[in-house]
């Protein structure tokens, strides 16, 4: 994928001289949509309620006209849309729907307007660009009284006791029942061991103000409990400390809890469960020794929970998720008048589980991937909608305020297999994880350790059972071939060895080796710690045996992965092209490229070492080409056989390149 900045520059060049083109200036972002004032005062929401000058013209369209309007231009080109997407809520929705298409190599050279077109379904619109219908938008109404009068779904429906009752039925049917959802039997169910600390909810307490306290479990104490998966934000204001833990054991005042925590208590009580686990309360936040003890157990805590409550629409703990107007979808665009009174019309992406995940606040959080991957039963809450997700549902089930059916499968519970069935899911999981954010970078490997332990248990005594710093030995060498997925990667010292993806911060991806043959071998050295087989250390070495040649990075910049010989054989599905360098390999005739981990730097005329890791034979226009996947290395000192990884590379050749005999080497 080309970078956003390059794409903007490219579009400006091809559309220069167009006097009708939109002027990219600050005033476009200052035109607010008319409508109801937001409840939340945060800057992000104010941005969400602002429309740029171009998008504000949508107010001339009302839902009554959806049957007659043929074309409504939002933007004259993609560059204008991208430039405004940080400040305009509607631009952000459009980018979410069609952003990937705007950077496709076969389309990015074509200027195209971004417009709305007539849809066959009343209340919906097509997003049209490049001559194609690329996605859908839908009219919503706010508040609920106006929604009924206009026959439009409410933008932010409320979750009531009715919906929570339906959720309880789904949970009970999954775990205890004999209905469609369950393949279990009541007699086989045993409550799990309680975590060290849980929030105890008094059964007899009021639903509006339940009685709470922090409970320390005793040895072998078993009971069902729920967990909360939420976004901390900059800081959780309500948390357990060494100073207040004694008071919390006596009483946790429900009225002082932040809104997300209150909603989690309400849902837990509605499910008929007595205990709730929230990380900010059940781990002492200013006691590092307590965190060291509890963090490795978090994977099991979520896996054994009766249900995980996923607060997708809460920006942080201060936001609620049972009644939420804070999610970025839908966006208010125009006032309206009906028999029910004045209100506001909204535009949003049709509600489905896919939309929930794509527009989710918690999906940006690194710890959440582990929480939702390991949880067996999940109640996803997203702006008035509930989606039930358990091992017996093919796709998450919409409960109560019914959303559109989605074929989007849950991202959770990908069961690892063996061989390629283990390698590919693990690389996909790491790719998704790299897109997430962590408050503390040092948690990079800790926040995925629970998933690694679960997947490790599936390997049992199979070859390649060892794991270190985010890499399973059985996934070598494929898991070494990572590079930027867009933007630059930042090397973090002393967190992981240079060969591990965990040694960098930033969105990364892996080269497409699905049909390639490995021609190098690698082995983890001393990866086993004193107390187990899952360890993390920046000092772990990787021994390898591969053919190595010298190479030279030259000044020319290239789009790494965009060679003329079928770029699709380079990128994995949904992969992105990124900026790289031309590479000359001594003794080779072919097209060679390199992606350097640090991105742009003083690499001009730099000598590197290229280790041949995998190879593939490609057919293109009745010709056969050979492609090698390379690790780009730098020796620790001249004539050393110990290296640091600095990137990856690729070489195409019409004939199978001749490589020297394989040699032993070490990567630190």
């Amino acid at each position: 994928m080309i970078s956003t900045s390059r794409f903007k520059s490219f579009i400006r060049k091809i559309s220069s001289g167009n006097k009708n083109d939109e002027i990219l200036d600050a005033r476009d972002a200052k035109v607010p949509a008319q409508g109801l004032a937001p409840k939340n005062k945060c800057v992000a929401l104010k941005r969400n309620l602002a429309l740029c000058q171009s998008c504000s013209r949508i107010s001339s369209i009302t839902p009554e006209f959806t049957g007659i309007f043929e074309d409504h231009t939002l933007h004259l080109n993609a560059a204008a849309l991208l430039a405004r997407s940080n400040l305009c809520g509607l631009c952000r929705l459009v980018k979410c729907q069609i952003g990937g298409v705007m950077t496709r190599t076969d389309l990015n050279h074509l200027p195209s307007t971004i417009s709305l077109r007539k849809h066959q379904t009343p209340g919906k619109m097509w997003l049209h660009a490049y001559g194609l219908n690329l996605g859908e938008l839908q009219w919503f109404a706010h508040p609920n009284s106006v929604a009924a009068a206009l026959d439009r779904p409410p933008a932010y429906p409320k979750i009531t006791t009715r919906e929570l009752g339906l959720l309880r039925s789904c949970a009970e049917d999954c775990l205890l029942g004999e209905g469609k959802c369950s393949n279990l039997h009541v007699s086989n169910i045993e409550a799990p061991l309680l975590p060290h600390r849980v929030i105890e909810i008094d059964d007899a307490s009021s639903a509006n103000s339940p009685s709470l306290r922090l409970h320390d479990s005793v040895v072998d104490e078993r009971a069902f409990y729920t967990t909360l998966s939420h976004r901390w934000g900059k800081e959780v204001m309500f948390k357990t400390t060494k100073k207040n833990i004694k008071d919390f054991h006596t009483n946790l005042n429900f009225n002082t809890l932040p809104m997300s925590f209150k909603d989690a208590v309400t849902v837990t009580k509605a499910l008929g469960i007595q205990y709730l686990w929230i990380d900010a309360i059940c781990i002492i936040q200013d006691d590092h020794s307590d965190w060291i003890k509890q963090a490795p157990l978090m994977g099991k805590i979520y896996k054994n929970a009766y249900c995980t409550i996923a607060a997708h629409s809460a920006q942080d703990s201060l936001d609620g998720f049972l009644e939420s107007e804070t999610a970025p979808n839908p966006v208010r665009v125009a006032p309206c008048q009906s028999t029910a009174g004045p209100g506001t019309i909204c535009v949003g992406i049709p509600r489905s589980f896919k939309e929930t995940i794509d527009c989710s606040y918690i999906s940006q959080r690194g710890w959440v991937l582990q929480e939702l991957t390991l949880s067996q039963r999940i109640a996803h809450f997203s702006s008035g909608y509930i989606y039930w997700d358990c091992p017996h549902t093919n796709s998450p089930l919409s409960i109560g305020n019914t959303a559109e059916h989605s074929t989007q499968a849950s991202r959770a519970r990908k069961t690892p297999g063996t061989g390629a069935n283990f390698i590919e899911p693990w690389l996909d999981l790491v790719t998704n994880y790299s897109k997430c954010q962590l408050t503390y970078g040092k948690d990079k490997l800790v926040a995925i350790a629970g998933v690694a332990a679960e997947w490790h248990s599936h390997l049992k005594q199979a070859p390649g059972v060892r794991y270190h710093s985010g890499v399973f030995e059985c996934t070598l060498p494929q898991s070494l071939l990572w590079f930027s997925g867009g933007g630059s990667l930042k090397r973090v010292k002393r967190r992981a060895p240079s060969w591990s993806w965990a040694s960098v911060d930033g969105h990364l991806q892996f080269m497409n080796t699905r049909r390639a043959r490995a021609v190098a071998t690698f082995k983890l050295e001393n990866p086993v710690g004193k107390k187990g087989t899952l360890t993390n250390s920046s000092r772990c070495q990787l021994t390898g045996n591969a053919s190595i040649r010298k190479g030279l990075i030259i000044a020319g910049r290239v789009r790494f992965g965009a060679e003329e010989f079928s770029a699709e054989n380079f990128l994995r599905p949904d992969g992105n092209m990124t900026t790289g360098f031309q590479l000359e390999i001594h003794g080779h005739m072919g097209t060679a490229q390199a992606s350097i981990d640090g991105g742009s730097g003083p690499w001009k005329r730099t000598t590197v070492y290229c280790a041949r890791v995998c190879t593939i034979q490609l057919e293109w226009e009745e010709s056969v080409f050979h492609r090698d996947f390379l690790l780009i290395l730098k020796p620790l000192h001249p004539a050393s056989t110990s290296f640091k990884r600095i990137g990856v590379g690729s070489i195409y050749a019409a004939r199978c390149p001749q490589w020297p005999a394989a040699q032993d080497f070490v990567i630190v």
Side-chain angles (χ1 to χ4, degrees):
M1 178 186 291
I2 65 173
S3 66
T4 301
S5 60
R6 286 191 64 194
F7 185 71
K8 291 179 187 175
S9 175
F10 184 81
I11 292 295
R12 287 194 184 102
K13 287 180 181 180
I14 61 177
S15 44
S16 60
N18 184 352
K19 296 181 180 179
N20 295 321
D21 199 7
E22 297 162 300
I23 300 174
L24 304 181
D25 60 17
R27 69 173 182 236
D28 283 356
K30 296 179 180 179
V31 181
Q34 299 178 11
L36 304 178
K39 293 181 179 179
N40 195 310
K41 302 296 183 181
C42 71
V43 175
L45 288 183
K46 289 181 180 178
R47 289 180 175 177
N48 182 43
L49 299 179
L51 298 182
C52 67
Q53 189 175 49
S54 182
C55 285
S56 66
R57 291 194 292 268
I58 197 175
S59 61
S60 63
I61 303 175
T62 66
E64 289 83 359
F65 295 142
T66 54
I68 62 173
F69 90 92
E70 294 293 332
D71 193 347
H72 177 81
T73 300
L74 287 177
H75 288 287
L76 295 181
N77 55 55
L81 171 70
L82 293 173
R84 295 169 172 83
S85 59
N86 287 332
L87 293 174
C88 174
L90 186 53
C91 287
R92 191 158 52 249
L93 284 181
V94 175
K95 179 183 175 183
C96 180
Q97 283 290 71
I98 67 173
V101 178
M102 289 190 295
T103 50
R104 275 178 46 184
T105 56
D106 56 342
L107 293 176
N108 64 27
H109 66 286
L110 298 174
S112 175
T113 58
I114 312 296
S115 61
L116 300 176
R117 292 286 180 91
K118 180 181 177 181
H119 197 287
Q120 62 272 21
T121 303
K124 289 187 178 181
M125 302 163 281
W126 284 114
L127 276 170
H128 187 88
Y130 306 106
L132 302 169
N133 290 332
L134 299 175
E136 296 175 310
L137 291 180
Q138 181 173 347
W139 294 107
F140 291 89
H142 185 283
N144 293 342
S145 59
V146 179
L150 295 177
D151 193 27
R152 296 287 175 258
Y156 306 99
K158 297 179 181 179
I159 294 175
T160 66
T161 54
R162 170 183 170 270
E163 286 76 41
L164 293 180
L166 294 173
L167 176 62
R168 178 170 181 170
S169 296
C170 284
E172 290 178 346
D173 187 45
C174 174
L175 191 66
L176 305 174
E178 297 179 357
K180 295 180 181 179
C181 183
S182 181
N183 59 6
L184 304 174
H185 192 273
V186 177
S187 61
N188 296 329
I189 300 301
E190 182 181 20
L193 291 171
L194 276 178
H196 177 52
R197 297 185 194 93
V198 286
I199 301 168
E200 183 177 356
I201 306 170
D202 189 347
D203 290 337
S205 61
S206 166
N208 294 327
S209 184
S211 177
L212 311 173
R213 70 181 184 90
L214 194 59
H215 171 71
D216 285 357
S217 61
V218 298
V219 178
D220 294 332
E221 183 177 3
R222 293 181 177 271
F224 290 113
Y225 63 92
T226 62
T227 53
L228 175 64
S229 182
H230 68 109
R231 186 170 183 256
W232 281 49
K234 290 185 177 180
E235 185 180 2
V236 172
M237 303 305 295
F238 192 97
K239 54 191 175 184
T240 296
T241 64
K242 290 184 284 188
K243 184 178 180 179
N244 63 24
I245 187 170
K246 185 176 180 180
D247 293 336
F248 284 1
H249 278 106
T250 303
N251 178 54
L252 263 173
N253 189 339
F254 176 81
N255 294 321
T256 63
L257 294 178
M259 203 63 214
S260 278
F261 294 3
K262 287 182 179 179
D263 286 351
V265 171
T266 300
V267 173
T268 301
K269 192 169 176 60
L271 290 173
I273 302 300
Q274 187 177 2
Y275 298 104
L276 165 65
W277 190 91
I278 300 176
D279 48 8
I281 295 178
C282 298
I283 299 176
I284 305 174
Q285 296 301 311
D286 59 352
D287 186 343
H288 184 67
S289 62
D290 189 60
W291 188 88
I292 290 294
K293 293 176 183 176
Q294 299 302 316
L297 303 175
M298 289 174 66
K300 288 186 177 180
I301 289 173
Y302 280 92
K303 180 182 178 182
N304 295 331
Y306 180 82
C307 175
T308 289
I309 301 164
H312 287 278
S313 52
Q315 289 192 96
D316 52 39
S317 61
L318 298 178
D319 282 340
F321 54 85
L322 294 182
E323 183 178 350
S324 173
E325 297 183 19
T326 65
N329 175 33
V331 173
R332 306 175 191 184
V333 296
C336 70
Q337 183 70 36
S338 73
T339 56
T344 303
I345 289 296
C346 305
V347 170
I349 301 171
R351 301 310 296 258
S352 67
F353 181 69
K354 181 181 186 300
E355 180 273 324
T356 290
I357 292 297
D358 289 346
C359 298
S360 171
Y361 286 117
I362 67 171
S363 292
Q364 304 168 16
R365 180 173 171 255
W367 284 94
V368 165
L369 181 138
Q370 172 169 275
E371 295 164 6
L372 300 189
T373 298
L374 296 178
S375 296
Q376 295 299 295
R377 286 164 292 279
I378 309 172
H380 300 271
F381 288 84
S382 177
S383 298
Y385 294 85
I386 307 175
Y387 303 90
W388 174 252
D389 189 7
C390 76
H392 316 112
T393 55
N394 293 326
S395 60
L397 174 68
S398 178
I399 296 176
N401 299 314
T402 306
E404 293 197 353
H405 174 71
S406 176
T407 58
Q408 173 91 355
S410 171
R411 290 187 180 182
R413 298 181 307 278
K414 288 186 177 180
T415 304
T418 57
N421 292 330
F422 186 96
I423 297 171
E424 295 301 327
W426 179 254
L427 299 187
D428 288 340
L429 187 144
V430 169
T431 300
N432 288 329
Y433 181 60
S434 72
K435 302 174 186 177
C436 299
Q437 301 168 359
L438 288 164
T439 304
Y440 303 104
K442 59 182 176 59
D443 293 344
K444 187 88 170 185
L445 288 165
V446 181
I448 201 174
V451 180
E454 175 68 17
W455 286 44
H456 182 265
S457 68
H458 286 266
L459 288 175
K460 298 179 181 178
Q461 299 301 318
V465 71
R466 297 191 297 178
Y467 168 95
H468 200 293
S469 299
V471 175
F472 285 95
E473 197 168 54
C474 65
T475 66
L476 297 170
Q478 292 88 345
S479 57
L480 301 179
L481 297 173
W482 47 267
F483 65 104
S484 170
S488 61
L489 298 178
K490 180 182 179 181
R491 180 78 68 181
V492 180
K493 295 181 179 180
R494 294 185 293 276
R495 185 169 68 192
S498 68
W499 46 263
S500 168
W501 55 266
S503 66
V504 298
D505 282 337
H507 175 199
L508 57 83
Q509 59 187 326
F510 292 86
M511 298 174 80
N512 186 6
T513 56
R514 293 175 187 269
R515 296 187 298 113
R517 174 174 58 91
V519 291
T521 59
F522 295 91
K523 183 179 179 181
L524 294 170
E525 291 296 329
N526 303 318
V528 181
K530 295 181 179 179
K531 297 184 179 180
T533 56
L534 300 179
T535 56
N536 303 314
S537 169
S538 61
R539 298 180 180 179
C540 179
Q541 297 182 349
L542 193 68
T543 59
N545 181 266
S547 297
I548 298 178
R549 277 191 182 275
K550 281 187 177 182
L552 185 68
I553 296 176
I554 56 180
R557 304 297 293 273
V558 297
R559 283 190 295 158
F560 190 53
E563 303 96 332
E564 56 182 319
F565 304 115
S566 183
E568 288 149 8
N569 288 314
F570 177 94
L571 298 170
R572 293 164 61 86
D574 301 321
N576 301 327
M577 283 178 291
T578 188
T579 302
F581 294 88
Q582 292 181 4
L583 178 67
E584 291 182 353
I585 300 180
H586 298 179
H588 277 213
M589 295 294 292
T591 302
Q593 299 179 341
S595 174
I596 303 301
D597 299 341
S600 59
W603 297 107
K604 182 179 179 181
R605 311 304 294 179
T606 300
T607 298
V608 295
Y609 288 78
C610 306
R612 186 180 183 231
V613 174
C614 296
T615 188
I616 190 172
Q617 182 174 293
L618 303 170
E619 295 183 3
W620 186 69
E621 293 186 357
E622 299 182 356
S623 298
V624 176
F625 292 87
H626 298 269
R627 176 175 188 183
D628 291 332
F629 299 82
L630 314 173
L631 266 181
I632 308 299
L633 307 171
K634 185 176 181 180
L636 297 184
H637 53 79
S640 173
T641 57
S642 294
F643 299 87
K644 280 191 175 182
R645 174 216 150 100
I646 61 170
V648 294
S650 168
I651 182 169
Y652 271 111
R655 293 180 299 174
C656 184
Q658 296 299 312
W659 287 85
Q663 66 181 72
D664 293 333
F665 61 100
V666 173
I667 311 178
V668 297

